[in-house]
Amino acid sequence: MNKWMITAAALLLTTPVMAAQNLTVWTRISQEGAKPFFDEFEKRNPDIRLQVEYIPGGKNHVNKLVAAVAAGTPPDVTTLDVIATEGFGRLDALLPLDDLVKSNPNLAEKLFPQGPLGTGRYEGRLYALPFGGDGSLIVYNKAIFKERGLDPNRPPRTWDEFTEAARKLTFSRGGGAKPDVYGFYYIPSQPSLTTFLWLPYFWMAGGTFNDREKMAFTFNSAAGERALGYLMDLHLKHKVVPPSAIGAAGTADNMVEFLQGRVAMAFAGPTVIGRVARDAPTMEIGLMPHPTPTADTRSTTFSGGDNVAIMKGISKDKLPAAIKLMEWLVSVEGQRLWQQTKFFLPVRVELLQDSYYATRPLEKAALEIFLTAHEPPVTAHYVEVQQYLRDAFEETAFGLATPKEALAKAAGRANELVKRTGKP
Amino acid sequence: MRALLDAVSLAIALLWLVPLLWMISTAFKPNPEIFRLPLHWIPEQPTLEQFWSSLRVAPFGRYYANSLFVGGLSTLLTLLFASMAGYAFARLPFRGRAALLGGMLSSTMIPFQVLLIPFFILMTALKLVNTPYGLVLAYVALYLPFAVFMFRAYFLSLPREIEESARIDGCSWFGVYWRIALPLARPTIAAVGIYTFVEAWNEFFVALVLTNRTATRTLPVGLALLRNDVNGISWGQVMAGSVMACVPAIIVFLLLQRQMIAGLSRGAVKG
Amino acid sequence: MSVASQQAARLRRPRGDSWGAAIDRAAGFLLSTPALAVLVGLMLYPLLYAIWLSFVQWRPAASAWIGLANYERLFADRIFWIGLGNTVFYTAWNVSAGTTLSLSLALLMNRPTMAARFLRLAIFMPAIISAPVAAMAWLWVFDSDYGLLNQTLASLGLFETPVPWLNSPFHARWSIVIVNIWLGTGLSSILFLAGLQDIPKELHESAMLDGANAWQRFWAITFPLIRPTLLVVLVIKLIGSFKTFDQIFIMTGGGPLYRSETILIYLYRQGFEYFDFGFAAAVGVVFFMIVAALSLAQSLLLGRSPK
């Protein structure tokens, strides 16, 4: 009798330990892009159950996370747009990871490339680790290059070469007065792309985005004007971009002109490889890094993608499971799943040596370009400043202001924000 | 004259439907055909590919069920509360009635977006975020004032004699409301019910904020999530999703249009 | 006290002191209790909360009281005024052109033919589909390069270069006016149709015998008799237009360069993109006061009860 009771008590006591632990995870990545990561994790850790919310589409994920933080109902773990990481750091919504990465060899800082890792820092503390990478690049149509007498295996490298190539690639196939093929496609005011596209040119021109010591935004420098002037001249002066791209942010399929063979080069991200394979399977494409202002400048790109973070409100008993999940998501083995879902690029340099890439030159090129990525600027006001820059680009594109005027106005708005909030 | 007006009517009607017909046409085209110029109306290689691609991204069956449940329950509650209050306002003087009526009428002018953040916090305290019930409460608050005002106007327009004789026969006010006034208000119930249901079914902004799980999302939100910021809009997928989102409403409308239009018209005339 | 309530008071005859009688006496209050609860709990309380929020710098843990700073910043922001101006712009077009179009279409529908019935069906269709569906359909029609509208205009030889319907600061808000009217005409023309059908045929017949032409009959008979409906339609359109959000949010998000911005899109951006809940609440409070003032003016103009 006694024995039986003890057994029962023991059973009752151990039950909570044996019961599967639940973790709530939010992500802005689609199911197709992220589900394999979570499925595999559950398979390897049968004692942990994940409740994953996929919240794709623009700013939906960020908006919902803000609201949930406000209401005190955040998830346990989230992946989030690298540029939103600082905003949540500012809201004090994420768990600082500094101690963790020092003591846990599976999460050590030295495992990650500097550009992507820098996106997880805010005010000297580390709030998130890189999970998936996304760097801007330029895709080009090899057939049009050949058609216009350009070497498809030696894409333009400098700004001048690029302009020259784009002018050659803008022509009228049908023989009409207006071109029916354009050299380059990009939408000047695509919200996420303003920084994604312009910042590499800005950095290569020698610009510094902001000075946190002096609490000032400094992107309205000569470098800023030069970078913006260069990109806008492709539209306004050289007319190598289809006019309909101006202002088309959010109202068009950004890749369709390229896929239709109506433009030779287009601004894109790594997902373009899958898109071309699906929608224009016969098209032969190449990927090139952003051209540089001079022949001896190193090309760079913007470090986009998603980080993974643990929410500050997580309960103590769930923390070990959350750390386990994080370890898995950033591990080499986990990162290899990007080769399968292709939503983002891996953030581990080791993977470049994978035999997988030996037979996939395009994916290898995209990963190589991404690994040159420049760390994004650190500011508490990324979203706002991005909007101000977007306004500046639109004003320039519509001919309502010069790059100098537009950037000065944007910097003025940004600095006003710094003054008001007291945060750089 | 009659033939001319008929021709004009037909032309306007077709022109009016062009965006919807074009949406349907696009939804059945494979990707290369969507962008082939010159554009053509009849798909040359009709395909369901876009629908499958939409369904892979979004569980539309779940969205339908959610929209139906949320729309149905909010309509039911709105009708019940509004007819009760409308009757009280029309027939039963009580202390504070004028103030309450004034508050009710002026609350129709509060745009719900203004209340969204506080409302979200309130719903969280009640543990109703991410349940259909939070959304139902929001919709009842949104549509109730207008409904009260419609019912009150209708009850005011009814002749008093039947109710008076029922009172003299010893019927309680609840009895009068339930057994006499409410059955007489059938046209208003239909009009307000349809209005509320259609509004709740179509509502976008509140639903976007108050539901962040696939399991509780409604159709309009599910549709809006088909869009992707970086790559822009995948037209075939989005058009197929749009068709799926509005087909049930259109079928119901075509079946019930006589009653719906009659109900709405009568409601408005009495209102 | 109105005649109606005097009559009702006369009818209130207590029968004994039983519970039933007491409850019966309180019937008016009891019947309106659920509505009262909704009004207080789900509207008044959040409204007061929003007003409080508008005076603070919001933080999830501890918000700081900053007095009128949010309002000062709001009134100094050019974009707020653009949004407000556009809201008025959209409303003006909905109320004027939208109402005129609805009435004209209702006159066309008010005939006993198949074509008229089909017209009624077609015009009402947009009211059935949701605004996001409509926004998506129109986005596609408006597409600069592959949109039906530009391609049709090009094939008719009307325009050489594609018209940037939604992509230019000069066109966007006009394109949105088209979509607003397309979405809003269904309900109002059905309401007009109902009003028209209530006009006794004999009136028109006798006027015809008197030799009045269609134009004269419209102004002498139809218009005066349709006036109550007209007021209802105007009220619905005025209120509805001020709250328009979905289709503009989906089609342009207020751009390019805020030229299609509305005050609610401004509110959304401040609240859900910039995380500035306090400031967004201030926008909301100002918007609420404008709308309230408008409704007050309207009920003064149209008589106390806008029925």
Side-chain angles (χ1 to χ4, degrees):
Chain A
M1 184 68 177
N2 239 350
K3 217 178 193 175
W4 185 87
M5 273 179 79
I6 291 168
T7 321
L11 261 177
L12 275 173
L13 281 172
T14 47
T15 312
V17 182
M18 287 166 66
Q21 191 156 32
N22 281 312
L23 272 187
T24 321
V25 185
W26 287 6
T27 179
R28 68 167 178 142
I29 304 168
S30 71
Q31 270 198 50
E32 280 171 314
K35 198 162 183 292
F37 286 90
F38 302 121
D39 287 353
E40 183 65 28
F41 177 78
E42 287 190 319
K43 214 163 31 172
R44 289 167 182 234
N45 299 279
D47 55 326
I48 303 173
R49 293 263 72 83
L50 301 179
Q51 288 178 304
V52 187
E53 287 300 325
Y54 301 91
I55 312 167
K59 292 170 179 140
N60 295 321
H61 171 261
V62 167
N63 295 345
K64 285 179 194 314
L65 200 57
V66 171
V69 168
T73 56
D76 299 314
V77 176
T78 190
T79 86
L80 73 171
D81 191 337
V82 291
I83 61 163
T85 309
E86 288 153 16
F88 288 100
R90 173 171 51 145
L91 286 182
D92 200 19
L94 308 176
L95 191 76
L97 304 173
D98 302 86
D99 297 337
L100 187 62
V101 300
K102 275 192 202 100
S103 59
N104 187 331
N106 295 328
L107 301 173
E109 291 195 22
K110 62 174 196 307
L111 299 174
F112 307 99
Q114 283 310 300
L117 183 68
T119 62
R121 283 207 193 91
Y122 173 69
E123 298 205 320
R125 307 192 86 169
L126 189 70
Y127 286 102
L129 287 175
F131 172 47
D134 191 10
S136 60
L137 43 79
I138 292 169
V139 58
Y140 63 98
N141 182 327
K142 290 190 168 179
I144 305 181
F145 267 55
K146 280 183 215 151
E147 188 180 349
R148 300 299 286 168
L150 295 169
D151 182 354
N153 297 315
R154 197 207 164 277
R157 288 185 188 148
T158 65
W159 289 8
D160 290 341
E161 279 179 31
F162 188 82
T163 310
E164 200 42 46
R167 289 170 65 113
K168 269 195 198 132
L169 293 163
T170 301
F171 63 104
S172 168
R173 238 182 223 146
K178 284 200 317 173
D180 49 22
V181 178
Y182 282 89
F184 188 43
Y185 189 91
Y186 81 95
I187 297 172
S189 54
Q190 187 72 10
S192 52
L193 306 197
T194 47
T195 40
F196 206 46
L197 173 66
W198 174 69
L199 277 177
Y201 292 81
F202 174 70
W203 286 320
M204 288 189 283
T208 314
F209 196 75
N210 56 347
D211 185 334
R212 289 176 65 82
E213 299 286 295
K214 291 189 185 141
M215 305 272 281
F217 283 91
T218 52
F219 54 74
N220 57 328
S221 56
E225 287 156 31
R226 207 170 145 220
L228 184 56
Y230 175 72
L231 289 172
M232 286 301 165
D233 274 352
L234 294 172
H235 263 296
L236 303 170
K237 188 167 150 205
H238 306 298
K239 303 199 184 307
V240 296
V241 183
S244 58
I246 293 185
T251 66
D253 184 330
N254 304 353
M255 286 317 296
V256 75
E257 291 287 75
F258 182 80
L259 294 167
Q260 291 290 304
R262 286 180 43 169
V263 295
M265 305 185 281
F267 171 63
T271 49
V272 72
I273 303 169
R275 184 80 199 275
V276 171
R278 194 188 75 206
D279 287 344
T282 57
M283 184 183 283
E284 213 193 323
I285 59 164
L287 302 180
M288 60 167 127
H290 295 293
T292 57
T294 58
D296 51 358
T297 322
R298 225 177 115 259
S299 179
T300 190
T301 187
F302 181 89
S303 181
D306 263 30
N307 285 328
V308 55
I310 299 174
M311 303 306 290
K312 198 173 188 182
I314 190 168
S315 64
K316 271 224 169 67
D317 54 311
K318 285 184 171 182
L319 191 58
I323 293 171
K324 238 184 203 170
L325 176 63
M326 202 173 218
E327 284 174 338
W328 159 249
L329 293 178
V330 304
S331 67
V332 168
E333 252 178 295
Q335 286 290 305
R336 203 166 267 135
L337 287 174
W338 290 125
Q339 295 167 352
Q340 181 191 323
T341 78
K342 295 187 179 13
F343 194 91
F344 280 133
L345 296 168
V347 293
R348 297 290 294 262
V349 187
E350 297 95 315
L351 283 175
L352 205 51
Q353 309 308 325
D354 260 27
S355 60
Y356 173 88
Y357 291 107
T359 54
R360 292 169 180 84
L362 286 174
E363 288 181 41
K364 188 172 188 190
L367 182 55
E368 275 171 347
I369 292 171
F370 168 67
L371 290 173
T372 67
H374 193 294
E375 191 178 316
V378 178
T379 163
H381 312 293
Y382 204 94
V383 183
E384 291 92 333
V385 174
Q386 187 169 295
Q387 177 72 39
Y388 303 159
L389 279 173
R390 182 186 176 191
D391 295 346
F393 292 12
E394 281 193 331
E395 280 166 13
T396 323
F398 288 120
L400 300 170
T402 64
K404 191 186 168 91
E405 292 161 1
L407 285 175
K409 192 165 147 195
R413 288 168 82 186
N415 286 327
E416 206 174 285
L417 190 62
V418 172
K419 218 163 81 189
R420 192 175 70 241
T421 56
K423 295 204 175 212
Chain B
M1 189 63 190
R2 181 181 161 154
L4 178 74
L5 286 177
D6 273 358
V8 172
S9 302
L10 280 179
I12 295 177
L14 284 174
L15 199 66
W16 208 259
L17 292 176
V18 157
L20 295 179
L21 296 174
W22 187 237
M23 171 180 97
I24 295 168
S25 160
T26 306
F28 287 98
K29 288 177 186 168
N31 260 346
E33 235 187 284
I34 290 176
F35 300 104
R36 204 173 63 225
L37 303 177
L39 300 174
H40 52 283
W41 276 90
I42 309 293
E44 276 163 23
Q45 290 168 304
T47 171
L48 293 176
E49 181 191 305
Q50 308 291 3
F51 289 88
W52 302 132
S53 141
S54 249
L55 285 170
R56 267 202 308 278
V57 186
F60 274 87
R62 183 80 239 179
Y63 296 159
Y64 285 135
N66 291 339
S67 283
L68 204 63
F69 181 79
V70 169
L73 191 58
S74 6
T75 304
L76 218 66
L77 288 177
T78 304
L79 285 176
L80 183 67
F81 294 174
S83 58
M84 285 162 63
Y87 188 72
F89 287 145
R91 289 285 195 263
L92 304 168
F94 58 92
R95 195 197 278 269
R97 185 175 86 161
L100 185 51
L101 181 61
M104 199 53 89
L105 286 179
S106 34
S107 70
T108 56
M109 300 305 282
I110 305 176
F112 204 79
Q113 285 90 341
V114 174
L115 308 180
L116 213 50
I117 294 160
F119 195 85
F120 185 88
I121 295 167
L122 179 64
M123 286 301 106
T124 309
L126 297 173
K127 299 221 184 308
L128 289 174
V129 164
N130 266 328
T131 68
Y133 306 106
L135 210 49
V136 166
L137 281 182
Y139 290 162
V140 170
L142 253 171
Y143 307 127
L144 185 72
F146 174 72
V148 169
F149 155 65
M150 293 283 281
F151 274 103
R152 173 177 170 267
Y154 184 78
F155 288 131
L156 279 177
S157 76
L158 283 181
R160 249 163 243 281
E161 287 75 28
I162 312 171
E163 291 161 68
E164 281 179 12
S165 59
R167 279 299 283 175
I168 290 161
D169 290 348
C171 196
S172 76
W173 280 119
F174 292 101
V176 175
Y177 156 75
W178 188 252
R179 272 185 242 120
I180 297 164
L182 208 53
L184 282 173
R186 237 172 306 172
T188 304
I189 292 176
V192 174
I194 290 165
Y195 169 81
T196 311
F197 187 81
V198 169
E199 289 288 307
W201 179 273
N202 289 341
E203 204 285 328
F204 170 65
F205 192 59
V206 179
L208 183 72
V209 173
L210 284 187
T211 62
N212 43 28
R213 289 181 184 213
T214 314
T216 46
R217 254 172 226 148
T218 55
L219 266 175
V221 181
L223 178 66
L225 291 183
L226 274 181
R227 220 167 140 189
N228 176 311
D229 218 30
V230 176
N231 293 320
I233 302 176
S234 191
W235 288 115
Q237 209 182 60
V238 169
M239 289 301 111
S242 304
V243 169
M244 285 190 280
C246 64
V247 155
I250 289 179
I251 291 175
V252 170
F253 171 62
L254 290 180
L255 291 177
L256 290 180
Q257 50 132 336
R258 209 176 277 262
Q259 290 89 323
M260 280 174 77
I261 288 177
L264 267 170
S265 318
R266 255 185 260 126
V269 172
K270 304 299 183 202
Chain C
M1 207 187 247
S2 69
V3 179
S5 45
Q6 274 168 10
Q7 273 176 339
R10 189 157 44 76
L11 280 172
R12 222 203 294 169
R13 43 192 82 226
R15 278 151 298 170
D17 289 324
S18 68
W19 269 101
I23 290 176
D24 195 52
R25 275 197 301 276
F29 183 75
L30 290 176
L31 279 173
S32 39
T33 302
L36 178 68
V38 169
L39 187 68
V40 173
L42 300 177
M43 306 212 74
L44 196 62
Y45 169 70
L47 184 66
L48 294 175
Y49 198 122
I51 292 172
W52 174 78
L53 269 175
S54 76
F55 292 107
V56 303
Q57 170 81 54
W58 178 83
R59 294 248 157 62
S63 302
W65 184 268
I66 52 167
L68 288 170
N70 283 331
Y71 289 96
E72 283 163 18
R73 182 148 66 90
L74 176 62
F75 292 127
D77 190 355
R78 190 181 55 94
I79 300 164
F80 166 73
W81 294 107
I82 298 180
L84 185 58
N86 279 338
T87 307
V88 173
F89 172 85
Y90 293 135
T91 304
W93 277 100
N94 264 357
V95 168
S96 59
T99 307
T100 314
L101 183 67
S102 306
L103 182 52
S104 321
L105 288 171
L107 290 169
L108 259 184
M109 290 174 197
N110 190 22
R111 296 171 312 118
T113 68
M114 283 298 284
R117 280 193 55 199
F118 182 60
L119 179 68
R120 190 174 75 179
L121 206 75
I123 301 290
F124 198 65
M125 201 58 93
I128 294 300
I129 65 168
S130 66
V133 171
M136 293 294 184
W138 276 99
L139 261 178
W140 179 219
V141 168
F142 280 141
D143 187 82
S144 291
D145 295 306
Y146 301 94
L148 184 66
L149 191 54
N150 270 347
Q151 286 296 328
T152 308
L153 292 176
S155 68
L156 297 173
L158 284 174
F159 288 105
E160 276 280 309
T161 37
V163 182
W165 292 104
L166 293 168
N167 303 340
S168 118
F170 315 103
H171 294 84
R173 53 184 207 156
W174 293 102
S175 308
I176 285 173
V177 165
I178 295 176
V179 179
N180 285 344
I181 289 180
W182 185 76
L183 269 169
T185 299
L187 181 64
S188 45
S189 56
I190 295 298
L191 295 181
F192 276 129
L193 180 63
L196 290 174
Q197 286 175 342
D198 272 9
I199 298 175
K201 282 208 171 55
E202 298 76 39
L203 285 177
H204 277 280
E205 279 158 12
S206 60
M208 263 164 101
L209 288 177
D210 291 343
N213 66 24
W215 184 250
Q216 289 164 331
R217 270 179 284 137
F218 175 79
W219 287 111
I221 300 166
T222 310
F223 192 74
L225 288 174
I226 205 109
R227 265 184 61 173
T229 314
L230 180 65
L231 291 184
V232 171
V233 168
L234 287 176
V235 168
I236 291 177
K237 278 205 182 296
L238 190 70
I239 299 171
S241 311
F242 250 80
K243 295 181 186 173
T244 308
F245 174 84
D246 303 358
Q247 61 266 35
I248 305 173
F249 178 73
I250 289 177
M251 288 199 300
T252 66
L257 282 173
Y258 309 103
R259 298 299 168 89
S260 65
E261 182 98 342
T262 67
I263 187 164
L264 284 183
I265 288 179
Y266 182 79
L267 182 150
Y268 176 86
R269 185 181 304 111
Q270 298 294 338
F272 292 94
E273 290 183 13
Y274 298 168
F275 314 156
D276 204 346
F277 285 165
F279 185 76
V283 181
V285 170
V286 170
F287 184 51
F288 166 65
M289 290 194 315
I290 295 171
V291 174
L294 209 77
S295 67
L296 215 67
Q298 162 207 291
S299 51
L300 285 179
L301 278 175
L302 301 186
R304 275 196 57 81
S305 158
K307 56 176 165 171

